[in-house]
Amino acid sequence: MPEKTDPEEEERRDLEHKLEQTLQELRVVQTGVQILSAFLLTLPFTNRFTSTTGFEKAVYVVSLVAAVVTTALVLAPVSYHRRHHHLGDRTEDLPDVIRVSVRLTLLGMTTLMIAALSSILLAIDIAVGRAYAVAITVAVAVVFAVLWFCLPVRRRR
């Protein structure tokens, strides 16, 4: 005869699984963000950086700040989860931890997109010129929009 499962225990396991999925996704994103941030942090120390235009420096600042903010946002759910466990592991708190973690993750993905787009704009502007840079960046932005926003919305329908 199958053993009955406690509905509260089953709900708790489901919530813990959802939280673990979110934290695992963040581990993947975190590596890419760290590589992008490290690359951006080295740019001002190159010889060529001194010859960049005001526009290129502004785009660089946007990219660097977006990458650093992304780092904070994708690490925040880990910290939030740790504090949750430190302050007391109550089942009724898990939905809040998951909700906050998902919101931070979505904000982090948005700032990651900004960092990626401004980075590609900067690199292509320096490599081949502004007209190509803008056109290619717009095309890449469309790819991001379709994959990150339109595709999930379409799936919900």
Side-chain angles (χ1 to χ4, degrees):
M1 187 168 198
E3 187 178 312
K4 286 188 175 182
T5 58
D6 179 17
E8 286 181 22
E9 182 62 29
E10 193 171 313
E11 179 185 359
R12 178 176 177 72
R13 274 188 260 140
D14 183 52
L15 290 170
E16 287 174 346
H17 177 71
K18 287 178 181 176
L19 181 59
E20 184 56 39
Q21 280 183 313
T22 300
L23 295 175
Q24 183 61 34
E25 290 168 354
L26 290 171
R27 286 181 194 106
V28 173
V29 172
Q30 180 185 356
T31 302
V33 171
Q34 287 174 325
I35 292 168
L36 178 60
S37 296
F39 168 73
L40 289 169
L41 286 169
T42 65
L43 285 180
F45 302 104
T46 63
N47 290 336
R48 180 128 187 224
F49 191 79
T50 57
S51 65
T52 56
T53 66
F55 172 79
E56 292 163 345
K57 286 179 180 158
V59 172
Y60 167 77
V61 169
V62 168
S63 185
L64 180 62
V65 169
V68 171
V69 169
T70 300
T71 300
L73 288 167
V74 300
L75 291 176
V78 176
S79 176
Y80 192 77
H81 179 240
R82 266 308 109 214
R83 293 292 294 160
H84 167 73
H85 278 292
H86 177 72
L87 296 174
D89 190 15
R90 297 191 326 250
T91 303
E92 62 269 11
D93 292 343
L94 279 176
D96 182 58
V97 171
I98 293 167
R99 187 176 62 257
V100 168
S101 295
V102 167
R103 286 183 180 162
L104 290 167
T105 300
L106 290 173
L107 284 170
M109 297 302 289
T110 302
T111 57
L112 176 58
M113 183 179 65
I114 293 167
L117 291 173
S118 55
S119 293
I120 196 169
L121 177 62
L122 175 62
I124 296 172
D125 184 53
I126 290 171
V128 294
R130 186 133 332 127
Y132 286 111
V134 170
I136 292 169
T137 302
V138 167
V140 172
V142 169
V143 170
F144 270 105
V146 168
L147 294 176
W148 286 16
F149 301 105
C150 298
L151 191 61
V153 168
R154 183 173 176 256
R155 187 179 175 332
R156 289 183 87 188
R157 290 180 186 178

